[in-house]
């Protein structure tokens, strides 16, 4: 039972589902209108529930409330009730509302937010220590803790990464680790927000198997998503949110194509695409139409990260330390031409993000050469190369820091092209990604999909010769994907060379002229990349 303090008579023991919410309305303290209203959700022990909604529907806010990450009173005003493990807490937005202890609530509800890094301790130096962090705090016996860590890592495909620094994990591996940290204590409820984002096919299959196993063991699983993946067809109930309201609920079979119950922006990856799902045009450029010289070229590029630090004993002796590196890229050759769109796929941890960071000099090759418009960028400052190579990071948090959306896109642009041109370019970039009306808003207040599109706008406004996009489709609903697709095609038609890393083969096949697979450190043509 969650620990809470409440006014007399406000916390009432009841015999109800393991988790439930009845929300008349919820408003953030700095908000002008409720973000949730008339939402009722019940979760039974051992059940599988999906909460579906397009970007901005309020599903992440609902997930945070269910998980105790938005305690009413501290972050916003709630009218309604929250119920966990037989105790119902009633709220009316007044001073006498009950108080939730997020730590105690979290022992009952494991939570994986959209940003997997937000659930990690960030003070542990290996994957194994990160998985063990919560168990250590709970005082678990060492042998049992080690067994739990190894079992969880194996289930999530992290068995070979137990000694690795979490900061060196790929986006997909980081998400697997966050899921592991949430499930390893064995909470009776697990809530996951967009858990399939950034996962390769193997990771998606492992997550699906984990969900089925948890349900068999009696854990209630709730998945928040703007995409209908095959696993969600196995859910007992779907709840559909639109504009903060619950618009439909019931079994998946009642909400298939033609039912009209799913908003058009919800994407389907289950082979049952609705007629309203955005259709992406396949690229039509023929190889013979490419210009003579590449905009970007990699010649024999190899790269390795330094291995684990040497022992204290060796450091005390001041013995010479060999250059020990874990090779990620091996003799990579790549030429991308103006107007060409190249997709790079491959399993989690293959080195795709590492590859992109060589394009603008954020990483320097251990061997080989990177050329932009025929010029070697070795030794050229990153800031100078960035004017020609625009990089969209996998996590928008790594790219956004200003106080408003417009300031974000304008940052440094005036020094590059002049004030008047900068204003025009910023406005055009925001319009291209559907954020023209959001110019005065704070980037942190945007939904995850809008943050990704804003990060894309900061790159587009500079009109670089090379666009390097790391998992650009993550967190995008159907409307967002259509905006991304149009922006990428427009940039290519204007002469940019585009390289995009993605696990979404459907989008890669529709958008790219070539699909390459990175696996084992090497880049090869692939119709079906390894690991898929």
């Amino acid at each position: 039972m969650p620990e809470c303090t409440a006014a007399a008579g406000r916390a009432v023991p009841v015999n109800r589902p393991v988790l439930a919410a009845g929300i008349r309305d919820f408003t953030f303290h700095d908000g002008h209108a409720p973000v949730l209203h008339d939402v009722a959700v019940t979760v039974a022990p051992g059940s599988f529930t999906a909460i579906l909604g397009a970007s901005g529907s309020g599903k992440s806010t609902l997930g945070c409330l269910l998980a105790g990450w938005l305690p009413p009173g501290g972050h916003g005003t709630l009218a309604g009730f929250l119920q966990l493990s037989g105790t119902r807490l009633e709220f009316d937005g007044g001073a006498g509302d009950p108080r939730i202890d997020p730590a105690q609530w979290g022992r009952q509800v494991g939570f994986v937010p959209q940003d997997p890094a937000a659930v990690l301790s960030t003070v542990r130096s290996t994957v194994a220590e990160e998985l063990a962090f919560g168990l250590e705090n709970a005082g678990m016996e060492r042998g049992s803790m080690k067994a739990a860590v190894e079992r969880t890592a194996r289930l999530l495909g992290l068995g070979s990464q137990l000694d690795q620094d979490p900061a060196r994990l790929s986006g997909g591996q980081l998400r697997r680790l966050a899921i592991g940290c949430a499930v390893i204590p064995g909470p009776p409820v697990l809530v996951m927000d967009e858990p399939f984002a950034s996962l390769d096919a193997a990771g998606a299959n492992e997550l699906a198997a984990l969900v089925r196993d948890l349900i068999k063991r009696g854990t209630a699983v709730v998945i928040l998503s703007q995409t209908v993946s095959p696993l969600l067809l196995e859910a007992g109930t779907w709840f559909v949110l639109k504009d903060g309201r619950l618009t439909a609920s019931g079994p998946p079979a009642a909400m298939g194509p033609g039912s009209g119950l799913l908003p058009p922006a919800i994407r389907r990856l289950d082979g049952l695409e609705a007629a309203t799902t955005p259709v992406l045009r396949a690229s039509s450029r023929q190889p013979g139409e490419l210009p003579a010289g590449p905009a970007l070229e990699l010649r024999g590029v190899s790269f390795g990260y330094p291995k684990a630090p040497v022992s204290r004993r060796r450091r005390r002796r001041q013995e010479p330390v060999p250059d020990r590196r874990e090779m990620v890229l091996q003799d990579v050759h790549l030429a991308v031409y103006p107007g060409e769109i190249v997709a790079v796929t491959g399993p989690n941890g293959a080195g795709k993000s590492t590859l992109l960071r060589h394009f603008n000099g954020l990483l320097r090759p251990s061997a080989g050469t990177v050329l932009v418009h025929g010029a070697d960028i070795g030794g050229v400052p990153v800031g100078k190369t960035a004017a020609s190579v625009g990089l969209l990071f996998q996590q928008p948090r790594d790219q956004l820091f200003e106080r408003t959306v417009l300031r974000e896109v304008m940052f440094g642009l005036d020094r590059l092209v002049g004030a008047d041109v900068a204003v025009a370019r910023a406005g055009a970039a925001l319009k291209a990604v559907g954020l023209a009306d959001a110019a005065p808003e704070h980037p942190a207040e945007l939904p995850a999909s809008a943050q990704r599109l804003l990060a894309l706008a900061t790159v587009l406004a500079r009109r670089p010769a090379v666009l390097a996009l790391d998992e650009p489709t993550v967190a995008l609903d159907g409307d967002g994907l259509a905006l991304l697709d149009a922006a990428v095609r427009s940039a290519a038609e204007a002469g940019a060379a585009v390289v995009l890393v993605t696990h979404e083969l459907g989008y890669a096949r529709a958008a790219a002229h070539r699909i390459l697979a990175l696996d084992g450190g090497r880049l090869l043509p692939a119709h079906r990349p390894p690991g898929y």
Side-chain angles (χ1 to χ4, degrees):
M1 182 181 298
E3 180 180 311
C4 61
T5 59
R10 299 300 297 279
V12 184
V14 289
N15 185 18
R16 295 287 179 86
V18 65
L19 180 65
I23 301 172
R24 295 193 298 277
D25 58 68
F26 176 79
T27 307
F28 287 105
H29 285 318
D30 56 354
H32 302 294
V35 292
L36 293 172
H37 23 200
D38 302 324
V39 175
V41 174
T42 59
V43 178
S47 63
F48 182 17
T49 303
I51 299 176
L52 301 172
S55 175
S57 63
K59 63 183 183 303
S60 292
T61 300
L62 176 59
C64 288
L65 282 169
L66 293 174
W69 274 45
L70 282 178
H75 295 81
T77 302
L78 172 65
F81 73 86
L82 297 175
Q83 183 178 308
L84 178 62
S85 298
T87 297
R88 176 179 292 195
L89 306 178
E90 300 280 355
F91 302 86
D92 59 18
D97 279 353
R99 300 296 178 189
I100 292 175
D101 181 342
Q104 294 292 337
W105 196 279
R107 292 188 176 95
Q108 300 288 316
V109 184
F111 183 49
V112 183
Q114 278 198 45
D115 181 358
V119 82
L120 304 180
S121 73
T122 71
V123 298
R124 295 305 190 187
S125 60
T126 68
V127 168
E129 291 174 343
E130 194 69 63
L131 286 170
F133 184 68
L135 304 183
E136 288 177 318
N137 289 337
M140 178 179 284
E141 183 269 328
R142 183 173 181 81
S144 300
M145 181 168 56
K146 182 179 179 181
V149 166
E150 292 176 350
R151 180 177 64 253
T152 304
R154 185 172 61 254
L155 287 171
L156 288 165
L158 293 173
S160 61
Q161 277 83 42
L162 284 174
D163 293 329
Q164 190 167 339
D165 184 345
R168 291 278 173 81
L169 296 179
S170 71
Q173 290 171 330
L174 196 66
R175 190 168 299 279
R176 297 187 200 200
L177 176 57
I179 294 169
C181 291
V183 303
I184 196 169
V189 183
L190 176 64
V191 178
M192 297 186 287
D193 194 354
E194 301 290 355
F196 289 99
S198 302
L199 293 185
D200 59 15
N205 290 336
E206 286 160 352
L207 176 57
L210 176 65
V211 167
R212 297 182 187 111
D213 182 66
L214 290 171
I215 293 169
K216 288 179 182 178
R217 296 170 181 263
T219 302
V221 177
V222 180
I223 289 182
L224 310 161
S225 182
Q226 58 195 10
T227 301
V228 178
S229 61
L231 176 66
L232 297 192
L233 297 177
E234 302 176 25
T237 304
W238 284 0
F239 292 96
V240 180
L241 290 180
K242 183 178 181 180
D243 298 327
R245 296 182 182 274
L246 185 65
T247 59
S249 63
M255 299 187 192
S259 69
L261 297 176
L262 288 183
I266 292 180
R267 298 164 58 197
R268 301 193 67 120
L269 301 178
D270 56 5
L272 300 172
E273 287 78 7
T276 51
T277 299
V279 177
L280 305 177
R281 299 176 290 109
S283 297
S284 57
R285 185 189 299 274
Q286 300 300 315
E289 300 175 33
L290 296 175
L296 172 73
E297 188 174 6
L298 275 64
R299 297 177 180 172
V301 167
S302 296
F303 176 80
Y305 289 105
K307 289 189 175 180
V310 296
S311 68
R312 291 191 181 94
R313 178 178 299 176
R314 173 172 285 174
R315 288 200 299 267
R316 284 198 301 267
R317 292 177 180 171
Q318 296 184 338
E319 294 179 8
V321 179
D323 184 12
R324 302 166 67 248
R325 289 182 173 267
E326 182 180 351
M327 299 308 295
V328 179
L329 303 177
Q330 301 267 12
D331 193 30
V332 172
H333 293 265
L334 173 66
V336 188
Y337 293 83
E340 186 181 22
I341 302 173
V342 175
V344 178
T345 63
N348 292 143
K352 301 183 297 297
S353 297
T354 297
L355 175 70
L356 292 189
R357 293 183 183 193
H358 278 78
F359 294 178
N360 68 352
L362 277 177
L363 292 176
R364 305 290 184 177
S366 307
T369 307
V370 179
L371 302 98
V372 176
H373 281 313
D376 184 355
I377 66 169
V380 178
V382 175
K384 185 174 181 180
T385 305
S388 298
V389 181
L391 175 59
L392 177 70
F393 289 94
Q394 190 170 148
Q395 293 293 343
R397 68 170 183 274
D398 296 333
Q399 209 150 353
L400 305 179
F401 51 85
E402 270 287 5
R403 297 195 300 273
T404 71
V405 165
L406 180 59
R407 285 172 62 97
E408 196 74 68
V409 182
M410 286 285 293
F411 183 80
L413 191 58
D414 55 345
R415 294 193 296 272
L416 186 65
V417 298
D420 292 341
V421 176
V423 171
R425 283 198 186 182
L430 288 174
K431 183 178 180 181
V433 299
L435 292 176
D437 294 338
E441 296 185 31
H442 196 293
E445 296 175 353
L446 299 177
S449 60
Q451 289 180 353
R452 188 167 299 277
L453 290 171
L454 172 57
L456 175 63
T458 66
V459 176
L460 294 175
R462 283 152 177 76
R463 300 182 183 175
V466 179
L467 275 177
L469 310 179
D470 197 351
E471 296 288 1
T473 66
V474 169
L476 298 186
D477 60 13
D479 292 341
L481 182 63
L483 287 167
L484 167 73
D485 185 59
V488 168
R489 292 178 189 276
S490 178
E493 289 167 2
V498 181
V499 181
L500 59 93
V501 160
T502 184
H503 289 295
E504 290 205 28
L505 293 185
Y507 177 65
R509 292 186 182 110
H513 306 105
R514 286 187 287 153
I515 300 178
L516 305 176
L518 185 64
D519 196 24
R522 300 186 183 278
L523 200 58
L524 302 169
H527 298 289
R528 188 174 181 82
Y532 286 79

